[in-house]
Amino acid sequence: MYKLFFRLVFKRMDPEQAHYAAFRWIRLAARVPVLRTFVAAALAPRFKELRTEALGLRMHGPFGLAAGFDKNAIAIDGMAMLGFDHIEIGTVTGEPQPGNPKKRLFRLVADRALINRMGFNNEGSAAVAARLAARNPVFRTTVGVNIGKTKVVPEAEAAADYVKSTEALAGHADYLVVNVSSPNTPGLRNLQATESLRPLLTAVREAADRTVTTRRVPLLVKIAPDLADEDVDAVADLAVELGLDGIIATNTTIAREALGLKSAPGLVGETGGLSGAPLKERSLEVLSRLYARVGDRITLVGVGGVENAEDAWQRILAGATLVQGYSAFIYEGPFYARAIHKGLAARLATSPYATLAEAVGAETRKKAAL
C-alpha cells in the first residue's frame, strides 16, 4: 500500500515538501493516544533477543534513525512509535541557519537513493536545547544529538562553534555526535584531518564533561565514505587515543563514478551528498576496516545503504553494534523498522551466535584469521 501511495502521491511532490508532509502526519499520530498505541503495537514490536547495550545505554534493539530526518527534535516520539530503537536528531549547529537555497533534495528512484545539499538547515542549538528540555516523552527511546559547524563560522573558529552546541545540548543527549563529514558545508570535511580533528574532539569532550557532571555523555564522530583507507585508519587510531566512545560510518558520498547509477544524468549530476543503496558497498568496507583496526575498544555504528534486514545483519557481522537507516525509509515506508527487526531476529535464530553481541564483528574477525 505504501509503495502504491509513494508512486501516486509522494513521487509527484517536491521531495522536501513530501518530507514535511510525512513529518506532520507522524507528529499528529504520535499526539493521539489511541492512535499512537495502535501504531506502535503494529510497527514497533519488541524482540527480547535483539536487546542491545551500547555506549553504556540499554536499547530495545540495534536499529535507529540516522541524523538528518528530524533536524530540530520535533518528532522523537513519532519516530519511536514507528519502531526505531534510537533516534539521532540534527545536525544542529551553534547558530540557527536556513541551509542552502532550494531546490536542495532530489530522489534518484531508479537507484533507491537521494541527493541532498540541505546545508544543515536547523533552528540552532539554543532552540533545539529548549525543545528537548521541555519534552515530555511518551516512549522510552535513546536520543542522540548530532552537531555540526555553522556555515558562516570560519574553519579556524570551528571548535568554539561546536563547543557552543555542546554546552547547550550535551545535557539533553543520551549520546553526542561530532559531524565533520557532510559535504554541504564548505570546509567541513577538512576537519576530518587528524591535526584538525584532535583539538576539536578534545574541546568537545572537555565541554561535555564540564557541562554535564552527573554522568559521562558518550561522544562519537561521524566520518565520510570518501576518506582514503589510510585516513580511515588515522581516524580510528585517534578515536582510540582520545578515548572516544564510537565512530559512525558513514555519511553521504560525493562520488558518482563507478556506482552504476541508473537515474537520469541531470539528477545524478546534482551537487550534494548521495545516500541510499549505491553507498552500501563502500560504507560496509569502511565499517569493516574500522573494526579490524579498533576491535571492541569502541562502539561502531553502521549506516549507509541499509535497506533491509540482510543489510543490517551484514553491518553487525562486519563490526557494528548499532545500525542506522534513513534513505530507505523514504522508499520502504512505515514498516521499514519493523521488517528489519523481524528479519534480524530470524537471522539471529538461525545463526551460530547466541546473542547479537556475539555476532558483532564475527565476519571481520573470520577474514582476519584466514
Side-chain angles (χ1 to χ4, degrees):
M1 288 179 63
Y2 174 79
K3 290 180 180 179
L4 176 62
F5 182 81
F6 179 87
R7 288 198 304 269
L8 296 179
V9 180
F10 277 165
K11 193 174 177 181
R12 300 171 187 267
M13 296 176 65
D14 172 80
E16 189 169 350
Q17 292 305 311
H19 174 87
Y20 291 135
F23 222 51
R24 285 192 294 271
W25 296 337
I26 293 168
R27 292 172 65 196
L28 178 62
R31 289 173 181 167
V32 181
V34 174
L35 184 56
R36 71 177 175 236
T37 300
F38 173 79
V39 173
L43 302 184
R46 303 304 183 192
F47 295 85
K48 285 195 239 184
E49 61 270 38
L50 297 184
R51 288 176 182 166
T52 300
E53 291 194 16
L55 306 171
L57 305 166
R58 292 182 179 180
M59 306 182 198
H60 294 298
F63 187 62
L65 180 69
F69 194 88
D70 187 357
K71 296 177 183 295
N72 293 303
I74 61 176
I76 293 171
D77 282 320
M79 303 317 295
M81 175 187 71
L82 296 183
F84 292 99
D85 300 314
H86 64 274
I87 290 93
E88 190 171 308
I89 66 153
T91 296
V92 184
T93 53
E95 303 294 336
Q97 58 185 27
N100 291 323
K102 300 177 182 179
K103 187 175 183 180
R104 54 192 182 180
L105 180 62
F106 307 87
R107 296 191 204 96
L108 279 64
V109 178
D111 299 293
R112 296 178 63 79
L114 301 172
I115 290 176
N116 93 82
R117 51 172 180 265
M118 303 298 288
F120 290 168
N121 54 308
N122 74 104
E123 297 174 7
S125 58
V128 174
R131 183 170 292 117
L132 288 171
R135 180 172 170 255
N136 184 21
V138 173
F139 297 102
R140 186 183 71 80
T141 192
T142 297
V143 178
V145 179
N146 183 301
I147 59 174
K149 185 181 82 68
T150 306
K151 185 176 182 178
V152 298
V153 170
E155 192 176 322
E157 299 172 18
D161 191 55
Y162 279 92
V163 165
K164 178 175 183 175
S165 294
T166 302
E167 290 174 342
L169 294 161
H172 309 293
D174 289 318
Y175 68 86
L176 197 64
V177 181
V178 171
N179 185 350
V180 288
S181 50
S182 168
N184 300 316
T185 296
L188 184 72
R189 287 191 167 192
N190 296 338
L191 298 176
Q192 292 178 112
T194 53
E195 60 270 21
S196 299
L197 192 57
R198 178 180 281 104
L200 171 59
L201 292 173
T202 299
V204 171
R205 178 73 271 166
E206 290 174 351
D209 292 343
R210 184 171 62 249
T211 304
V212 185
T213 59
T214 56
R215 62 186 174 95
R216 187 180 188 278
V217 181
L219 179 63
L220 300 84
V221 64
K222 187 169 186 176
I223 65 172
D226 306 312
L227 286 177
D229 287 346
E230 57 268 26
D231 293 325
V232 172
D233 294 343
V235 172
D237 293 344
L238 179 63
V240 173
E241 174 195 330
L242 297 180
L244 244 61
D245 298 277
I247 302 174
I248 300 180
T250 61
N251 212 318
T252 59
T253 181
I254 57 173
R256 301 291 188 270
E257 300 296 325
L259 293 177
L261 299 176
K262 303 172 186 175
S263 298
L267 279 177
V268 171
E270 293 288 351
T271 59
L274 174 73
S275 62
L279 188 55
K280 189 177 303 189
E281 184 177 340
R282 178 57 183 165
S283 179
L284 187 58
E285 287 176 357
V286 172
L287 176 64
S288 298
R289 190 173 189 92
L290 286 169
Y291 186 80
R293 197 83 174 182
V294 306
D296 298 322
R297 288 178 289 178
I298 61 177
T299 297
L300 299 179
V301 183
V303 58
V306 178
E307 296 190 277
N308 50 47
E310 180 60 25
D311 293 332
W313 182 241
Q314 290 304 317
R315 294 304 192 282
I316 291 168
L317 294 177
T321 300
L322 300 176
V323 182
Q324 294 179 341
Y326 175 176
S327 298
F329 178 47
I330 308 301
Y331 294 107
E332 294 297 319
F335 284 86
Y336 176 48
R338 180 181 184 274
I340 286 182
H341 286 127
K342 188 175 180 180
L344 279 178
R347 281 159 177 77
L348 179 62
T350 58
S351 78
Y353 313 110
T355 65
L356 273 185
E358 284 185 21
V360 171
E363 193 63 28
T364 300
R365 291 194 300 271
K366 187 186 300 183
K367 289 178 181 177
L370 294 177

